[in-house]
Amino acid sequence: MNLFELYNVLKDGQKGRNNFLVTVVQGNGTGSRYFLADGEVKAQCGSGDIETERLRELVQPGESGIAEADGRRLFVESLKQPAHLVICGAGHVAQQVILLAGKVGFTVTVLEDRVSFAGEALRAGADQVICDSFENALKQIPGSEDTYFLVVTRGHRYDRVCLEAILKKPYAYVGMMASRGRSALLKKQMEEDGFDRKVLDEIHTPVGLDIHAETPEEIAVSIVSELIKEKNSVRKTSGYDAELLDYLTGEKEPDTKKALATIVARRGSAPRGIGTKMLVLEDGRIIGTIGGGCMESEVQHLCLRMLHEESAQGQIFTVDMTASQAEEEGLVCGGTIQVFMEVI
C-alpha cells in the first residue's frame, strides 16, 4: 500500500472513535506508517514489521507523543475527529456563533424548525441546516466523542426537548444559553423525571466564558472561546483537515512533489502543538502552518531542499526558540519543537 492509499483509508475512517496513526520517525523503516482504528490495523505502508500487539500497546494511553520500540522512535498520533458543533436554534446569537465557529475549525450543523431562521443559518455559513422539529432533527445526529452540542432555542420547553435527546447520545460538550434561575429550574425538573443529577450538572449553563458579554456578537465570542477551551483540553492531535487530506490522498495535484512537516515533540510554550502539520509543495506553496516566522520559513526551505535533492529519508529537525529569538520574530512565546520532515 502506498501513502495515497493509506491516507484514503484514514480519510474514510475519520469518524471512528479510537483512531491512531503510528509513524516511524527515526531508525529502521523511517517513514513507515500504521493506521489503527479501535485497536485494529486498517492500513499500513513501508516496512510493516511492527507486530500488531506491539502497536496496540503503544496506542493504549490515548495521547499523542514519541514512543520507543525495537530501537526506533515512533510518533504515535491519537487523532481527533473533525470537531462537529451542533446548534439547536438559529436566532441572533446562534448566527454569530456560526460565523466564529467555522473560522476556528468546527463543522457546524444547525437544527431549526422555522424556515426563515433556517435560511439565515445557511447565509451565516452553516455547513448543514436541518429544518424540522428539534425532536426529529436530533434523531439525525448520532453524536460522538467529538460532537459539541449548543442549545440556544427560543424557549424553555424547546430546551428540554433538546436536552432529553442530547443527553442520551455520546458527546464532548453540552452548553445551554439560559439564566442561572432558568437552568436551575430545568435541571430540577429533569432530575425529578429520572435524569442523573451528575450528568445535568456537567451541562455548561449559563454558557460561555464569563467576559460580561452583552451583545449577540460578544456572547458568541464567549461561547466559542469556551468551545475552543474544551476542545483543546483533550490531548489528541488536531488530525488532518480537509484541505490537507485532499493533497495527501492525491485528490489535488497528485503529480506534484511534496514534503510533509509534522511537529512530533515540544517543550516550553512553543506556538503550535504536537501533531501540527504543514505541507510544502515543490513550487514553494505551503498548506497549513506550524507557527509562522523564521522558524517556519527555515523548515519550509529544508523541505524544499529535500524535494530538490529527492531525499527519500525522513529526518527530525530541532528548532530552539529562545525568548529573545521569539521576540525578534514577533512571536509571543518561545520553546523548543522537533519537526519530522519527509518527502511523500
Side-chain angles (χ1 to χ4, degrees):
M1 177 177 287
N2 62 36
L3 270 176
F4 280 168
E5 293 168 333
L6 180 139
Y7 279 115
N8 270 294
V9 174
L10 185 152
K11 182 178 181 179
D12 291 341
Q14 273 195 115
K15 293 184 179 179
R17 295 179 62 183
N18 295 296
N19 288 348
F20 292 84
L21 185 65
V22 180
T23 304
V24 181
V25 295
Q26 203 167 60
N28 185 38
T30 294
S32 297
R33 283 171 168 77
Y34 307 81
F35 173 58
L36 290 85
D38 295 321
E40 298 298 324
V41 178
K42 300 296 184 181
Q44 65 183 55
C45 68
S47 61
D49 60 352
I50 301 179
E51 297 292 333
T52 300
E53 284 304 316
R54 182 67 179 118
L55 290 168
R56 286 173 178 159
E57 292 172 6
L58 292 169
V59 302
Q60 283 302 313
E63 296 180 357
S64 300
I66 293 290
E68 304 281 342
D70 305 323
R72 290 171 282 196
R73 294 184 76 197
L74 312 175
F75 178 49
V76 181
E77 286 187 88
S78 179
L79 300 174
K80 288 181 182 178
Q81 295 179 29
H84 183 199
L85 175 61
V86 179
I87 305 176
C88 300
H92 300 300
V93 170
Q95 290 167 31
Q96 297 302 318
V97 171
I98 293 166
L99 288 168
L100 289 176
K103 291 181 182 296
V104 296
F106 286 89
T107 298
V108 181
T109 296
V110 177
L111 316 181
E112 175 56 66
D113 59 354
R114 297 167 293 177
V115 174
S116 61
F117 281 86
E120 290 298 324
L122 276 175
R123 282 186 283 276
D127 298 283
Q128 180 186 23
V129 176
I130 301 175
C131 188
D132 202 340
S133 69
F134 292 116
E135 184 177 12
N136 288 336
L138 280 163
K139 289 177 181 177
Q140 302 177 51
I141 307 295
S144 74
E145 293 179 349
D146 292 282
T147 301
Y148 298 74
F149 288 98
L150 175 63
V151 180
V152 284
T153 75
R154 62 188 182 277
H156 176 80
R157 65 190 178 98
Y158 298 109
D159 291 345
R160 173 153 184 169
V161 167
C162 293
L163 288 179
E164 286 182 351
I166 290 167
L167 296 179
K168 296 173 183 176
K169 303 175 185 290
Y171 56 81
Y173 166 99
V174 180
M176 180 179 71
M177 190 169 70
S179 66
R180 294 187 187 278
R182 178 177 155 191
S183 60
L185 176 60
L186 182 54
K187 288 179 182 180
K188 181 175 181 294
Q189 292 171 343
M190 292 182 69
E191 182 182 17
E192 290 172 351
D193 289 340
F195 281 85
D196 188 329
R197 183 70 201 194
K198 183 178 178 182
V199 172
L200 293 169
D201 285 340
E202 290 174 352
I203 298 171
H204 293 255
T205 184
V207 72
L209 298 183
D210 185 5
I211 58 172
H212 304 289
E214 295 181 357
T215 66
E217 293 81 2
E218 291 175 346
I219 294 168
V221 169
S222 75
I223 291 172
V224 175
S225 297
E226 184 171 80
L227 288 167
I228 293 170
K229 178 182 177 183
E230 291 297 315
K231 176 174 67 72
N232 291 346
S233 67
V234 181
R235 294 187 63 184
K236 294 183 178 182
T237 72
S238 56
Y240 297 81
D241 65 28
E243 184 181 20
L244 186 60
L245 275 176
D246 283 345
Y247 284 90
L248 294 177
T249 58
E251 291 183 25
K252 284 187 177 179
E253 303 188 37
D255 298 324
T256 300
K257 293 180 181 178
K258 46 189 83 74
L260 183 65
T262 305
I263 297 177
V264 297
R266 59 173 277 180
R267 293 180 61 187
S269 56
R272 300 302 299 270
I274 291 174
T276 303
K277 298 170 183 67
M278 177 177 74
L279 192 66
V280 180
L281 308 185
E282 61 181 328
D283 60 5
R285 285 176 292 152
I286 61 173
I287 311 299
T289 176
I290 56 171
C294 293
M295 172 271 294
E296 179 172 288
S297 178
E298 187 170 3
V299 171
Q300 179 189 10
H301 282 91
L302 287 170
C303 285
L304 287 171
R305 184 186 303 169
M306 292 175 70
L307 287 167
H308 294 152
E309 294 175 355
E310 298 185 349
S311 175
Q313 183 73 23
Q315 59 182 280
I316 293 177
F317 176 62
T318 299
V319 182
D320 189 357
M321 292 293 297
T322 64
S324 59
Q325 288 174 316
E327 184 178 348
E328 286 294 322
E329 294 190 20
L331 301 174
V332 296
C333 49
T336 301
I337 61 172
Q338 291 188 334
V339 182
F340 179 62
M341 301 174 297
E342 58 180 331
V343 174
I344 61 170

